Structure formats: structure tokens, C-alpha cells
């Protein structure tokens, strides 16, 4: 029987991974690895260890009382970690900050292996990790300390979990702290990276997916698409990739390559600039299609700047679009 990887997502955005034995309870596995999940009794009586199982298969021992976990709560995916025995890799949301559980984000060092500029719009940063490759969920991000400063910037992985080389898609900003560094970065430069973090990640796929990317918000979807391709996903997946100017459309060749590996994958690119000659104009909401919305039986993932997130949310409300699930990540350029 195999051990399982359990991702613990804390409410402050920190994610920690623990290893859980085939008959081991999550609470015991966490304590064994010095992460003190909330608990009072550990006997299924108090309900203090109640968390939300976001994905994965598991069993709950019957040794708990209804006051600790009701039948309705269990049906909604709530679990008592003192009674939860995983049957697969799982993702668990913990309603407490990581500091309360006597843990925090993990840090590691990596060396720059390549910096690829994209027409003055973005950089693709690739790094090689010296030690063990960090574990993360497709869609999550890290904080990278900018060399020569004490400041960090947050970037989503564009590479998939399990790759020896990590990559990030970074918007090029005039006089930006990271942008300035990347124009002069050298192969072999050492970077301090902390993470993974974030609750924006690919869940179990049970219905069609609609991905909405704004600018370099494409990064987490490249990671997700790689995972879907590896898993030979058969559900329809459609991506709408919106940018401001023509030059901002980067990594389109990577999307084209996924069409060969994901038979049910399609994508649409759109440019907001009225002076653009791109065949598709406007914002991502201008290119919603009934077939991709699937009468609401669709999971929508959105990564983009705050105005885009607000605009899409407003549009869906006005149009009466209610997806099965709506996951989003807001990001600021700096």
C-alpha cells in the first residue's frame, strides 16, 4: 500500500505538504511532521480539527459524534482530520493561519537557467533547483526575492509539478524591480524562493473547464494544461486569453502544442486595443460561448488583474451565468 501526499492549505495562503501512511489519520501524520493542526480531543468529539477536503478520496472513521461533524457537513466535504484516513493524494483547506499551527512557508534556493524575453512584454524565467524539487499544486505561486534587494515579488508557476526545472511568466514593467534585474540576470544567479502558496489550483476534473487568462495570468494555466495533458483528460477544456496589446500575446505556440496532446482542448485569443489588427477584439467576456458555458455545468478558473476579475464577476451576474464552481486569482503587476 502506498503513502499519500497531502496538501494542507492554510488560510494565510501558505501550503505545506505532508506524507500520510495508508492507514494513518491526517492529524497524526501532521503532528508526526511537526505541523500542529487545530485539535482539542483527537477523539472525534470536539470538532476543533474540522477542515474542508477540497479533493481526493478518503475514509472517515465512525468514531465521532454528530455534534462534531453532522451528516450535512460530511456531504459538503468537511472532515475531522483526527478521523480522516486518505485513500489517495488529497488537498485539505485548514481554517487557521499557518503560524497558529507552528509552521510557515518553506524556502529554497534555485539558480537561473534561462531568461527569455518576449517582445518587450514579458520574461520567461527558468530556474533549476539544487536540492529536492519543491512540491506544489498546478496554479499556485511563490515569492521570489529580487537579488540585490530585500523585496520579493509573487509569481505563479508556469511549469507543472514534478519538473526538475521551474518556470515563471513575468510581465515586463518599465523600471520594475524584477524587470530591471531580469534584463541583466546571468545564468547561475542564485534566487531565494518561498512557497508554494495560494488557494488557486486545479481541482479534480468532473465537468468541462473554462479558463480565463489576463496577460501573464496565463502562467498558472500553462501549469494546469500540462497536468491535464499528463492525465490524458477527456473533459472539454476551453481557454480565453485576453491581453491589452498585440505584443502581450505570448506563449501562444505553447497553447497550440497542447491541442495535439489534449484532443478536447481549444483556445481563443483576444486583444482589447482598438487599433489592433487581431481577428478577435475586446475582452474575454466578449467571447463567451454557450457551448463552453455548458448550461452552467462548468468549472470556471480566472487569473488576471483585479479589474478583470471584477468585470467578469459583474458580467456573469448580469447575464445570469452561474457556473458549478468559480475559482479566481487576482494579481497586481508589481
Amino acid at each position: 500500500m502506498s503513502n499519500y501526499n497531502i496538501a494542507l492549505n492554510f488560510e494565510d495562503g501558505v501550503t505545506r505538504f505532508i506524507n500520510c501512511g495508508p492507514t494513518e489519520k491526517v492529524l497524526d501524520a501532521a503532528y508526526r511532521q511537526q505541523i500542529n493542526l487545530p485539535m482539542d480531543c483527537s477523539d472525534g468529539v470536539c470538532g476543533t480539527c474540522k477542515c474542508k477536503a477540497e479533493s481526493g478520496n478518503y475514509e472517515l472513521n465512525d468514531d465521532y459524534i454528530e455534534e462534531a461533524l453532522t451528516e450535512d457537513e460530511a456531504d459538503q466535504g468537511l472532515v475531522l482530520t483526527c478521523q480522516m484516513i486518505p485513500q489517495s493524494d488529497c488537498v485539505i483547506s485548514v481554517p487557521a493561519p499557518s503560524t497558529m499551527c507552528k509552521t510557515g512557508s518553506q524556502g529554497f534556493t534555485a539558480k537561473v537557467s534561462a531568461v527569455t524575453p518576449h517582445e518587450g512584454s514579458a520574461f520567461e524565467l527558468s530556474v533549476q533547483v539544487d536540492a529536492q524539487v519543491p512540491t506544489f499544486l498546478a496554479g499556485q505561486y511563490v515569492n521570489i526575492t529580487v537579488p540585490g534587494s530585500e523585496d520579493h515579488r509573487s509569481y505563479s508557476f508556469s511549469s507543472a509539478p514534478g519538473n526538475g526545472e521551474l518556470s515563471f511568466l513575468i510581465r515586463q514593467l518599465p523600471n520594475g524591480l524584477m524587470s530591471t534585474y531580469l534584463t541583466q540576470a546571468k545564468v547561475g544567479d542564485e534566487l531565494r524562493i518561498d512557497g508554494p502558496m495560494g488557494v488557486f489550483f486545479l481541482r479534480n476534473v468532473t465537468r468541462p473547464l473554462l479558463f480565463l487568462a489576463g496577460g501573464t495570468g496565463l502562467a498558472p494555466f500553462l501549469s494546469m494544461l500540462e497536468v491535464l495533458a499528463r492525465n490524458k483528460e477527456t473533459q472539454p477544456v476551453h481557454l480565453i486569453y485576453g491581453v491589452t496589446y498585440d505584443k502581450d500575446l505570448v506563449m501562444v505556440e505553447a497553447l497550440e502544442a497542447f491541442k495535439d496532446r489534449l484532443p478536447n482542448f481549444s483556445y481563443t485569443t483576444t486583444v482589447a486595443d482598438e487599433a489592433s489588427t487581431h481577428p478577435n477584439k475586446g475582452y474575454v467576456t466578449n467571447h463567451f460561448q454557450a457551448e463552453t458555458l455548458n448550461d452552467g455545468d462548468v468549472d470556471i478558473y480566472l487569473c488576471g488583474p483585479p479589474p478583470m476579475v471584477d468585470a467578469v464577476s459583474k458580467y456573469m451576474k448580469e447575464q445570469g451565468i452561474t457556473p458549478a464552481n468559480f475559482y479566481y486569482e487576482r494579481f497586481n503587476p508589481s
Side-chain angles (χ1 to χ4, degrees):
M1 300 177 70
S2 301
N3 288 356
Y4 301 114
N5 287 322
I6 310 300
L8 302 174
N9 282 345
F10 297 93
E11 66 177 17
D12 55 0
V14 170
T15 298
R16 290 295 305 272
F17 287 82
I18 60 171
N19 185 269
C20 192
T23 61
E24 190 174 22
K25 298 172 183 176
V26 170
L27 183 70
D28 295 337
Y31 270 74
R32 176 170 57 79
Q33 291 159 83
Q34 300 181 331
I35 297 177
N36 295 350
L37 291 179
M39 61 84 73
D40 278 337
C41 71
S42 76
D43 294 320
V45 175
C46 68
T48 303
C49 68
K50 191 181 300 179
C51 294
K52 175 70 180 292
E54 298 282 357
S55 67
N57 301 317
Y58 56 88
E59 291 182 354
L60 285 176
N61 280 353
D62 294 330
D63 301 331
Y64 65 88
I65 63 174
E66 174 121 6
E67 286 78 5
L69 183 72
T70 67
E71 185 175 344
D72 286 344
E73 288 176 324
D75 290 342
Q76 295 168 22
L78 293 175
V79 296
L80 300 176
T81 57
C82 72
Q83 302 298 318
M84 178 184 179
I85 301 175
Q87 305 296 304
S88 72
D89 294 347
C90 294
V91 179
I92 300 173
S93 291
V94 182
S98 59
T99 51
M100 181 184 292
C101 301
K102 297 184 178 180
T103 187
S105 63
Q106 293 179 300
F108 58 94
T109 59
K111 291 182 178 178
V112 174
S113 55
V115 177
T116 305
H118 290 275
E119 299 184 14
S121 175
F123 295 100
E124 185 180 9
L125 170 64
S126 300
V127 302
Q128 198 77 36
V129 181
D130 292 333
Q132 184 176 358
V133 177
T135 305
F136 62 93
L137 303 172
Q140 289 192 301
Y141 70 91
V142 293
N143 291 329
I144 302 178
T145 300
V146 183
S149 78
E150 298 298 320
D151 297 323
H152 70 262
R153 297 291 183 264
S154 302
Y155 301 110
S156 299
F157 293 97
S158 56
S159 53
N163 287 0
E165 188 172 66
L166 309 176
S167 62
F168 308 90
L169 187 60
I170 299 171
R171 182 179 174 185
Q172 185 170 342
L173 294 172
N175 302 315
L177 188 63
M178 182 62 82
S179 296
T180 300
Y181 162 69
L182 290 176
T183 60
Q184 57 193 16
K186 296 180 178 60
V187 172
D189 283 357
E190 191 168 272
L191 300 178
R192 166 72 185 189
I193 301 178
D194 291 283
M197 302 180 188
V199 295
F200 184 73
F201 58 87
L202 183 65
R203 272 72 173 178
N204 288 345
V205 181
T206 58
R207 57 179 61 84
L209 303 176
L210 176 59
F211 292 164
L212 307 175
T216 51
L218 177 67
F221 296 117
L222 294 173
S223 181
M224 292 181 185
L225 287 169
E226 178 61 33
V227 169
L228 293 172
R230 289 179 185 175
N231 294 342
K232 302 185 186 305
E233 182 56 55
T234 58
Q235 288 282 0
V237 182
H238 186 68
L239 166 70
I240 307 178
Y241 175 22
V243 299
T244 304
Y245 301 105
D246 289 337
K247 69 174 184 177
D248 298 329
L249 280 175
V250 301
M251 306 289 289
V252 177
E253 67 283 355
L255 298 179
E256 195 65 25
F258 278 118
K259 290 171 65 176
D260 294 330
R261 301 173 59 202
L262 274 171
N264 289 323
F265 170 64
S266 59
Y267 70 92
T268 300
T269 56
T270 182
V271 179
D273 180 20
E274 293 183 359
S276 170
T277 58
H278 193 72
N280 298 319
K281 303 286 284 296
Y283 301 103
V284 295
T285 51
N286 298 124
H287 300 278
F288 276 27
Q289 300 292 331
E291 57 267 28
T292 56
L293 292 172
N294 199 38
D295 292 327
D297 188 25
V298 61
D299 288 343
I300 298 180
Y301 290 77
L302 163 62
C303 185
M308 177 184 177
V309 176
D310 294 339
V312 170
S313 299
K314 180 180 178 182
Y315 176 85
M316 291 198 302
K317 183 177 181 180
E318 291 175 345
Q319 299 299 315
I321 299 170
T322 306
N325 293 289
F326 179 38
Y327 308 108
Y328 61 86
E329 177 88 296
R330 300 172 185 262
F331 69 84
N332 288 308
S334 58

